[in-house]
Amino acid sequence: MKRLNIIIVAEGAIDQNNRPITTENIKNLVVKCLGFDTRVTILGHVQRGGTPSAFDRILASRMGVEAVLALLETTANTPACVVSLRGNQSVRLPLMECVQMTQEVQRAMDGKRFEEAVKLRGRSFENNLRTYKLLAHRKPESELPVSNFNVAVLNVGAPAAGMNAAVRSAVRVGISEGHKMFAVSDGFEGFYKGQIREIKWADVGGWTGQGGSLLGTKRTLPAKHVEKIAEQMRMNNINALLIVGGFEAFLSLLELITARGKYDEFCVPMVMVPATVSNNVPGSDLSIGADTALNAITTAFESLLQLYEARNLPMRNLSIGADTALNAIVETCDRIKQSASGTKRRVFIIETMGGYCGYLASVGGLAAGADAAYIYEEPFDIKDLQANVEHLTEKMKTSIQRGLVLRNENCNENYTTDFIYQLYSEEGKGVFDSRKNVLGHMQQGGAPSPFDRNFGTKISAKAMQWVTKKLTETFRQGRVFANTEDSCCLLGMRRRALVFQPVVQLKDETDFVHRIPKEQWWLKLQSDGSVAM
């Protein structure tokens, strides 16, 4: 019943008899059997071109560093290696083992052992394929299990691109597991007001690429309304909660655990999936939405440069794409004043979001090639600022034409974006001029990046499968009763794996005053010299 259908074909696709499957084969089959108007598009080298995403830039930088370290540490007996990524960690794999694995995959394909070939591709490939099959095609009602469990899904905190992909995944996996799924609008504020409805398979169609939060999200915490929320859970017979959100979602689970002693309605499995542009949720190295926010930073800087170049190149007052690039910025933040002169060098000073968490400034600086990134986690003073200005001034005199300085919004109470802008403007007189831009909510908007869509889909599917397991384990005498620490978890990326962690155990890892984890993996990107001058 869909108006638009898309079929994606890999260029080397084969059938079960190892015969090629071409796009023309599929087109002819669709036209013959369904009578649909069908068009073929071959992407070709379009997939190789374009500006690299934030994820690709960061991955390339990290792999480059790891490759150099591998070379420096090599000896005469060290086997050749391949730098790869497992989970969130750069790893070195023996080259010959990788070659052998690749050959084994081909031998399995030639022998029509397709399940073995999938396993040989690796866990990530296997999980991606399994998740796709689970979410793309709904089984007939007669083949679906019947669990009699009701599961509610809600978004809590600020919007983050990828939230909708996570909700879609949770709903469809839940239905595949036999549960009745309920959507809660506007977070816990909507929960206590009774904004709860059953949500079906088709209701979440097309959600993957949508930005923001289609369910609606609020920062409201549940503590003040636990009685009304418990009443709504009782009225709707909610047996489990899946919360997609940021730091407020983490705080909410802690409050709901505290309320278990008074309200049995909260003695149900509860799991949180981290989704925040700031990437500041304890217990997870990555959050849904952070990659899209990084793309917003790099796109904004590229857009500013395009506009700057379009205005200042001789005999070229306008460039194709400059207006579109500008619109992407001015829709959500103040337009930066541009100099009419093309002879001056320029430094852009950009303020990122994130509260006290410097993730966006640090990793965004790495992706955009920043000359400096100022963050709360690495204190700085006026001497550091002055040294950076002097260093940039010397670089401007000899080679570079443009500079980029990122500042996290709460990195320092006194050294504000205005202060840094004025300092650079004053000290750069005669060498360069400065422009500032506060990106603001531009980082929360826009369509989610492919990474955030996939990450949200996979992590939410895993969370829903955990919910099913816990519901089965805690169902006794006609009711669900889950009152242990491990029945209220955060599912996060830790180094190389997705792990479920009881939220109460994460309290000691959390700086609640500044709303950040006490230890953050990405700080090494700042300290290795990739960002700072």
Side-chain angles (χ1 to χ4, degrees):
M1 300 302 294
K2 296 190 334 185
R3 297 179 63 186
L4 174 67
N5 298 274
I6 298 176
I7 298 173
I8 299 177
V9 188
E11 62 180 350
I14 57 175
D15 65 15
Q16 292 183 346
N17 295 311
N18 281 341
R19 292 176 301 198
I21 300 174
T22 68
T23 51
E24 285 299 323
N25 294 152
I26 295 175
K27 175 187 175 181
N28 294 336
L29 191 64
V30 171
V31 172
K32 178 182 177 181
C33 297
L34 301 176
F36 289 173
D37 182 30
T38 308
R39 297 288 185 271
V40 173
T41 299
I42 299 176
L43 297 182
H45 285 78
V46 169
Q47 300 162 86
R48 298 183 186 273
T51 303
S53 66
F55 181 84
D56 276 338
R57 299 183 194 198
I58 296 162
L59 180 64
S61 300
R62 293 180 65 188
M63 284 187 166
V65 170
E66 187 66 26
V68 172
L69 293 176
L71 287 173
L72 293 174
E73 295 169 9
T74 190
T75 66
N77 299 321
T78 302
C81 70
V82 175
V83 176
S84 183
L85 189 73
R86 281 187 177 172
N88 193 37
Q89 297 296 308
S90 298
V91 295
R92 304 171 196 173
L93 305 175
L95 172 62
M96 294 314 299
E97 286 186 15
C98 295
V99 172
Q100 182 179 358
M101 188 68 69
T102 302
Q103 293 173 343
E104 288 180 4
V105 170
Q106 188 59 53
R107 282 194 289 269
M109 294 288 287
D110 294 340
K112 301 180 183 180
R113 302 189 304 277
F114 300 113
E115 290 186 5
E116 179 184 343
V118 169
K119 291 183 180 298
L120 289 170
R121 287 284 188 190
R123 284 189 304 172
S124 178
F125 183 89
E126 186 178 8
N127 289 337
N128 287 342
L129 184 59
R130 185 187 304 114
T131 303
Y132 169 74
K133 289 180 176 179
L134 184 64
L135 298 177
H137 307 291
R138 183 182 183 181
K139 296 179 180 178
E141 293 287 346
S142 59
E143 296 182 16
L144 290 175
V146 179
S147 72
N148 295 318
F149 293 129
N150 295 343
V151 181
V153 182
L154 64 159
N155 294 336
V156 177
M163 277 183 162
N164 298 319
V167 172
R168 168 187 175 271
S169 177
V171 168
R172 292 196 168 181
V173 172
I175 292 173
S176 297
E177 300 281 352
H179 310 318
K180 185 179 288 187
M181 301 300 297
F182 287 82
V184 181
S185 300
D186 298 334
F188 284 107
E189 184 173 318
F191 211 146
Y192 81 80
K193 292 179 179 178
Q195 296 173 203
I196 306 171
R197 70 185 192 279
E198 185 178 355
I199 189 166
K200 302 285 191 177
W201 182 282
D203 294 336
V204 293
W207 280 34
T208 304
Q210 297 290 319
S213 168
L214 294 176
L215 288 184
T217 182
K218 300 281 188 180
R219 296 178 184 268
T220 305
L221 299 179
K224 295 181 180 179
H225 309 286
V226 287
E227 184 176 353
K228 292 182 179 179
I229 294 172
E231 181 182 351
Q232 290 295 331
M233 291 187 68
R234 185 167 57 254
M235 289 172 55
N236 292 280
N237 191 28
I238 301 300
N239 306 118
L241 291 179
L242 192 152
I243 303 174
V244 181
F247 202 85
E248 287 83 2
F250 174 67
L251 295 177
S252 297
L253 284 183
L254 291 175
E255 292 183 356
L256 292 179
I257 289 177
T258 303
R260 278 179 168 178
K262 189 174 181 181
Y263 300 98
D264 284 349
E265 287 78 8
F266 299 125
C267 294
V268 297
M270 295 184 284
V271 63
M272 173 190 164
V273 172
T276 167
V277 300
S278 305
N279 200 37
N280 64 333
V281 176
S284 184
D285 292 344
L286 295 174
S287 289
I288 301 166
D291 184 66
T292 304
L294 289 174
N295 280 334
I297 294 172
T298 54
T299 300
F301 182 53
E302 297 292 338
S303 301
L304 287 171
L305 293 184
Q306 287 183 29
L307 177 66
Y308 174 62
E309 291 169 352
R311 288 174 57 107
N312 292 293
L313 287 181
M315 301 300 293
R316 190 172 130 193
N317 294 326
L318 291 175
S319 275
I320 297 173
D323 182 64
T324 302
L326 175 61
N327 285 337
I329 300 171
V330 299
E331 287 175 0
T332 51
C333 67
D334 295 333
R335 172 179 277 174
I336 189 172
K337 292 184 178 179
Q338 296 292 315
S339 170
S341 172
T343 58
K344 289 185 178 180
R345 296 174 172 88
R346 179 153 295 173
V347 175
F348 295 100
I349 299 167
I350 297 179
E351 179 182 308
T352 66
M353 295 178 68
Y356 290 94
C357 180
Y359 174 80
L360 288 177
S362 274
V363 184
L366 176 61
D371 297 284
Y374 300 117
I375 61 174
Y376 169 79
E377 291 86 351
E378 289 197 343
F380 58 95
D381 55 24
I382 191 65
K383 293 181 180 178
D384 297 316
L385 290 171
Q386 186 65 38
N388 287 346
V389 173
E390 292 175 357
H391 186 68
L392 187 56
T393 301
E394 290 302 313
K395 290 169 68 176
M396 284 283 187
K397 288 179 179 177
T398 57
S399 57
I400 66 170
Q401 298 293 316
R402 296 178 294 264
L404 173 64
V405 174
L406 296 184
R407 177 192 177 273
N408 186 59
E409 59 182 347
N410 287 344
C411 66
N412 190 286
E413 182 180 0
N414 297 310
Y415 300 138
T416 63
T417 301
D418 283 334
F419 178 91
I420 294 175
Y421 162 68
Q422 292 169 6
L423 176 67
Y424 274 75
S425 297
E426 179 64 27
E427 297 299 318
K429 283 183 177 178
V431 179
F432 62 83
D433 62 356
S434 303
R435 294 293 184 270
K436 66 177 179 179
N437 196 343
V438 179
L439 297 184
H441 287 80
M442 176 183 180
Q443 296 156 90
Q444 290 179 314
S449 68
F451 179 88
D452 277 332
R453 300 183 195 194
N454 290 330
F455 185 56
T457 297
K458 289 188 288 187
I459 194 173
S460 193
K462 191 177 183 70
M464 199 65 235
Q465 289 165 343
W466 176 89
V467 166
T468 298
K469 179 172 178 289
K470 285 294 177 183
L471 284 170
T472 304
E473 291 175 352
T474 57
F475 184 72
R476 299 288 185 277
Q477 298 178 344
R479 62 166 295 192
V480 174
F481 189 80
N483 196 27
T484 57
E485 284 188 0
D486 65 353
S487 65
C488 182
C489 288
L490 180 146
L491 173 57
M493 172 69 74
R494 277 291 175 93
R495 296 179 67 83
R496 300 183 186 180
L498 287 170
V499 293
F500 291 94
Q501 304 149 97
V503 292
V504 294
Q505 295 181 12
L506 295 174
K507 293 171 68 175
D508 293 338
E509 301 180 24
T510 308
D511 178 351
F512 287 96
V513 175
H514 298 104
R515 298 163 59 89
I516 56 177
K518 292 179 180 178
E519 294 185 10
Q520 303 183 89
W521 68 271
W522 51 265
L523 279 173
K524 64 182 181 182
L525 301 179
Q526 179 84 358
S527 61
D528 70 1
S530 299
V531 180
M533 290 186 187

